Amino acid sequence: MTDTVAARRFVTLHARLIDRRRMDGDPALIRSALAAYRNPDGGFGYLEPDLPDPGSQPITALAALELLHEIEAAPDDPLMVGLAGWLEIVTRPDGGLDFVLPYDADAIPHAPWMQPPAERTSSLHMTAAVTAAAHRAGMGAGPGRTWLDRASAFVWRRLDHLDPRPGYEWKYVIDFIDAVADRERAEPVLDTVGRTLAGRDSIPVTGGTEGEVITALTAAPRPDHVGRRLFDPAAIERQLDELERGQQADGGWTFDWLHWDDAVAWAWRGKLTVDALYTLAANGRLDPTPA
């Protein structure tokens, strides 16, 4: 049984302010905390534990959009509009986003997989992730629609030639298919993904730690996520059981990818503890209010 009191204590002691505010659940306070990460260019810095770059990065745009969705921000919210403007500037000519924008790797500590690129190129992984979050946050109903249409077109073109990809890329492709409104175009792609993943209840992460996988629950965390159709419902229930059992003695949850720095691990554990409570609540394993 999940101990929400212990989870709150863990978050209060160890999590970043943004995740403490998520635990409190007040949208205005979450927005205020998010605004502190905003850069003058409209993007966000310091918001990704594995790349604490003060400059704006696509992966911090993803984190910001997930939070704007969480608080149901309006499409014309200044944080949303400013972020759309930054995305427009950094998007490559083909409509895609870099996985990581160039930065000073000697000055900024980072996870091994967050290497600055030798040569810039568009990433399906990151573009699908950010556009999915932007669709879900409602950016398309505001001034960000032009950018969102352009980036979505890039993802659609890449999905015309879908091949097996590392775990996280699969997760975000499935997320994109869930988030887009064009169901006539999305459903055939979902069918293709389903045939490729048939019989699996997890997706290995190429290049990850030993045993690191994207679980069915990670790929489709909500009961109404279209990705649920790709996986055995019994596997989802087993993974929810595992998520409940995954609460540690200190009240928080942990993770299976590389712990490359102790402080970063605490930041991730704080975020993932709030995420775990929200996932359990969304699946009827907790009251809607996590704690």
Side-chain angles (χ1 to χ4, degrees):
M1 182 177 178
T2 301
D3 186 340
T4 55
V5 173
R8 174 173 286 280
R9 184 175 186 279
F10 179 86
V11 170
T12 300
L13 274 173
H14 302 298
R16 301 173 302 172
L17 177 61
I18 186 70
D19 295 311
R20 293 177 186 176
R21 290 306 193 193
R22 293 176 65 216
M23 190 77 171
D24 294 337
D26 184 323
L29 293 177
I30 296 170
R31 188 187 182 284
S32 294
L34 175 61
Y37 292 91
R38 186 177 186 271
N39 286 323
D41 61 11
F44 290 79
Y46 290 124
L47 197 51
E48 164 60 36
D50 285 329
L51 179 55
D53 185 354
S56 303
Q57 288 282 349
I59 200 165
T60 50
L62 167 63
L65 284 164
E66 290 175 341
L67 289 163
L68 289 168
H69 169 63
E70 201 165 292
I71 62 174
E72 299 180 355
D76 60 353
D77 183 302
L79 295 183
M80 186 99 72
V81 174
L83 182 55
W86 177 79
L87 287 165
E88 185 68 47
I89 291 170
V90 300
T91 296
R92 298 184 58 74
D94 62 2
L97 293 167
D98 299 73
F99 182 73
V100 179
L101 290 168
Y103 65 93
D104 185 354
D106 293 331
I108 299 171
H110 57 277
W113 55 89
M114 285 292 180
Q115 290 290 339
E119 185 175 344
R120 293 186 59 184
T121 185
S122 293
S123 160
L124 174 60
H125 173 146
M126 191 56 65
T127 312
V130 175
T131 53
H135 278 289
R136 200 165 282 129
M139 183 180 279
R145 179 173 179 174
T146 301
W147 170 81
L148 186 54
D149 286 348
R150 181 178 165 213
S152 298
F154 167 85
V155 178
W156 284 124
R157 286 195 302 275
R158 293 288 298 270
L159 294 185
D160 286 340
H161 306 286
L162 189 63
D163 295 315
R165 295 177 172 88
Y168 279 97
E169 191 161 298
W170 274 119
K171 168 182 164 45
Y172 289 117
V173 165
I174 295 169
D175 223 27
F176 177 83
I177 297 168
D178 173 70
V180 294
D182 187 349
R183 303 316 304 167
E184 184 176 348
R185 195 169 186 180
E187 291 299 326
V189 179
L190 184 65
D191 291 343
T192 301
V193 174
R195 287 192 293 275
T196 305
L197 300 181
R200 300 186 190 181
D201 58 16
S202 63
I203 309 167
V205 176
T206 302
T209 58
E210 184 176 357
E212 183 180 346
V213 297
I214 297 295
T215 67
L217 186 62
T218 302
R222 309 182 320 275
D224 62 347
H225 196 295
V226 300
R228 284 287 172 95
R229 290 155 48 186
L230 305 176
F231 303 104
D232 182 350
I236 295 288
E237 291 303 312
R238 285 196 302 273
Q239 291 174 9
L240 284 166
D241 293 341
E242 291 168 4
L243 182 61
E244 288 179 318
R245 292 195 298 269
Q247 186 174 22
Q248 305 293 293
D250 59 13
W253 272 258
T254 188
F255 54 94
D256 62 359
W257 64 89
L258 182 66
H259 290 218
W260 61 276
D261 180 88
D262 289 344
V264 169
W266 287 116
W268 271 121
R269 291 193 64 205
K271 178 184 187 305
L272 294 172
T273 296
V274 182
D275 289 349
L277 295 173
Y278 274 92
T279 298
L280 291 170
N283 287 276
R285 299 288 186 111
L286 278 180
D287 292 336
T289 303

